[in-house]
Amino acid sequence: MAHKKNRKEYGELCVPETTFVDYKNLPLIKQYVSIHGRIKPRYYTKVPMVLQKRLARAIKQARFMGLIPFVK
Amino acid sequence: MATKAKASKKAAHDDLESMDGDDESTRRYELMAIIDPDVTEAQYKKHYEELKKLVTQHGAVIDFEEEWGKRELAYPIKKRKHGFYVIFNFDGDSAQVPELEAQLRITNFVIRHLIIKLPKGYAPQKYELDAELPRIEDRLEQRNERRGTRRPGNRRPRAGSGAPRESVKPVETKSAEIKPTETSKKEAPAKVTKKEAAPEVVKADSEKELKKLDKKLEALLSSDDDLNL
């Protein structure tokens, strides 16, 4: 059960009343990107699988729109 | 714990269904577009209105619009380093969205666009886009505050490990400062004569070099003048 204790809270990542991670939420997204601009793997983020996938999608959308770099 | 996880998974599944498996033809979408920055403000407003028209022409009802203004891009897109960001949230016909997308691809002043489906219950949010990240220590403190109900024994060592480092650093610097002074006191009498002699030579050298540089500079300046003539 240790790994479950280490998990982050669910709600703070999502838009309220949804389980949707917004690509416009740059302060949040930047926390899940390494200093070189890569998506942090799940064993660092401790985020549930569903959210990790949404997070990855949000990061990719933000990259596409030139909000965060692909590579630093 | 297990029940909670199950509930969250269920919620996520429902949400996925609402995003992908809806039978209704109308759905909420969000369009973000970057408008060419090499235009005047009047032209930009024209482009903005045109874009709005384009969206409404495709059977969409805009219920939220936002302008971020001119922002620096994270990397150059079509050789532009800046862009006007525009966001529309609209209820659209799912059959017409591909057409809208095709039109957007053709329009010259849109250098990039993105259309995404919005989940049920999405309300437009405002974010502090350029806010700096909080320091890791602050984030740890926040987390600890949030988990205040936790037993103190569990997390103390980790939370405490940040503080001693701070206290250690100044000590190190102090010792580094102190050591040279001690050594200088000990070695000072022996090295005084050498130290006095050495700087003079250096000074002389530096003066010579300065003079040389001055001459070179003058020569360069004069040659520049010739070139200009």
Side-chain angles (χ1 to χ4, degrees):
Chain A
M1 290 294 278
H3 61 288
K4 287 196 175 174
K5 269 186 192 172
N6 289 339
R7 276 185 188 170
K8 275 195 167 185
E9 290 297 314
Y10 202 115
E12 60 191 86
L13 299 178
C14 307
V15 177
E17 296 175 25
T18 61
T19 54
F20 166 75
V21 182
D22 201 341
Y23 66 96
K24 300 191 294 296
N25 194 351
L26 295 189
L28 178 105
I29 278 178
K30 279 177 185 169
Q31 287 176 26
Y32 292 94
V33 169
S34 76
I35 51 168
H36 303 295
R38 301 176 71 178
I39 299 171
K40 279 185 190 168
R42 207 173 142 233
Y43 54 79
Y44 288 134
T45 59
K46 310 286 187 200
V47 159
M49 181 54 109
V50 179
L51 270 186
Q52 175 76 13
K53 291 191 172 186
R54 303 262 164 96
L55 208 55
R57 183 184 288 181
I59 289 168
K60 284 166 189 173
Q61 284 167 343
R63 278 177 184 166
F64 180 69
M65 292 311 286
L67 298 175
I68 56 173
F70 279 91
V71 177
K72 268 180 207 170
Chain B
M1 286 298 274
T3 51
K4 243 188 187 177
K6 267 187 189 173
S8 59
K9 264 185 191 173
K10 238 188 184 179
H13 188 66
D14 290 348
D15 200 50
L16 261 183
E17 276 194 338
S18 76
M19 282 170 98
D20 298 327
D22 242 355
D23 293 333
E24 294 168 20
S25 59
T26 58
R27 196 180 253 153
R28 280 194 84 198
Y29 292 94
E30 178 174 284
L31 163 68
M32 182 192 261
I34 306 176
I35 295 179
D36 194 338
D38 303 335
V39 292
T40 59
E41 273 199 21
Q43 274 176 315
Y44 161 69
K45 275 174 187 168
K46 236 187 217 173
H47 289 334
Y48 181 73
E49 292 302 321
E50 272 181 54
L51 201 63
K52 217 168 149 186
K53 238 187 217 171
L54 195 70
V55 177
T56 46
Q57 271 174 6
H58 287 78
V61 183
I62 296 172
D63 52 18
F64 175 78
E65 50 190 279
E66 194 177 10
E67 294 169 74
W68 283 1
K70 200 172 185 178
R71 266 180 70 85
E72 195 178 352
L73 303 172
Y75 52 90
I77 298 173
K78 293 195 180 171
K79 296 184 182 176
R80 270 87 167 184
K81 288 185 177 176
H82 296 264
F84 290 102
Y85 278 80
V86 179
I87 298 160
F88 297 111
N89 287 9
F90 57 90
D91 291 318
D93 188 357
S94 57
Q96 297 225 25
V97 167
E99 291 172 30
L100 172 61
E101 191 129 24
Q103 282 297 319
L104 281 170
R105 226 171 283 142
I106 298 169
T107 40
N108 288 325
F109 57 83
V110 175
I111 60 174
R112 190 157 286 190
H113 68 275
L114 176 73
I115 298 179
I116 61 164
K117 294 168 195 167
L118 290 178
K120 274 178 187 170
Y122 174 86
Q125 306 285 316
K126 280 220 164 187
Y127 304 108
E128 292 176 25
L129 297 169
D130 299 318
E132 285 190 10
L133 285 177
R135 288 182 308 146
I136 295 168
E137 290 161 13
D138 293 346
R139 264 190 268 163
L140 275 176
E141 275 175 24
Q142 281 179 10
R143 197 189 287 174
N144 286 342
E145 280 170 21
R146 251 183 273 140
R147 296 173 174 180
T149 52
R150 198 161 267 230
R151 272 173 291 156
N154 270 349
R155 283 265 164 172
R156 275 284 157 83
R158 275 196 194 174
S161 65
R165 270 180 212 161
E166 279 178 21
S167 59
V168 166
K169 273 179 188 171
V171 172
E172 282 177 3
T173 50
K174 272 178 192 171
S175 63
E177 283 170 8
I178 291 163
K179 275 178 185 172
T181 53
E182 285 173 0
T183 51
S184 63
K185 273 176 191 172
K186 286 174 188 171
E187 295 169 11
K191 280 193 176 179
V192 163
T193 51
K194 283 180 189 174
K195 272 182 187 174
E196 279 177 2
E200 280 181 7
V201 176
V202 173
K203 269 183 189 175
D205 283 347
S206 64
E207 278 177 7
K208 276 181 188 174
E209 281 179 6
L210 275 175
K211 277 179 186 175
K212 275 184 187 174
L213 276 174
D214 281 343
K215 278 179 187 175
K216 274 186 186 174
L217 264 176
E218 281 175 11
L220 278 171
L221 284 172
S222 61
S223 66
D224 271 349
D225 286 337
D226 290 338
L227 281 171
N228 283 335
L229 284 169

